[in-house]
Amino acid sequence: MTFIWFILAALAEIAGCYTFWMWLRLDRSAWWLVPGVISLCLFAFFLTRADAELAGRAFAAYGGVYIAASLGWMALVEHRSPQLFDYLGALVCIGGAALILYGGQRLGG
């Protein structure tokens, strides 16, 4: 279930941050910030649902999911295909996230 919470958190964070990008970089209306702030609040809520003993561990593991989700956002919303090294980097990050979140449990830590 933690992975699902991370995916929801990533989508909410990216969407919220993208509204600021639209406002400041794409000259869109500041009204975009209203749903953006709501989305960022949802991000924080979703991230707290992750099954992790420590906030720092949850945040670190989430980072890998965020990276992969950001590349998906780039492809779906910005219509730019990730390159080979984007995919490889995301794979490394997801592997690192899994090590952070689940590796210590197998070793008793």
Side-chain angles (χ1 to χ4, degrees), residues 28 38 40 47 70 74 83 100 103:
R28 301 288 168 81
I38 293 168
L40 290 171
L47 192 53
S70 295
M74 181 177 77
Q83 298 176 355
I100 290 167

Side-chain angles (χ1 to χ4, degrees), residues 69-109:
S70 295
L71 294 172
W73 182 275
M74 181 177 77
L76 294 173
V77 175
E78 298 181 284
H79 307 291
R80 297 292 173 109
S81 295
Q83 298 176 355
L84 174 62
F85 286 99
D86 295 325
Y87 289 117
L88 292 175
L91 185 62
V92 168
C93 292
I94 291 292
L99 278 174
I100 290 167
L101 198 58
Y102 302 116
Q105 292 175 0
R106 297 219 166 105
L107 298 174

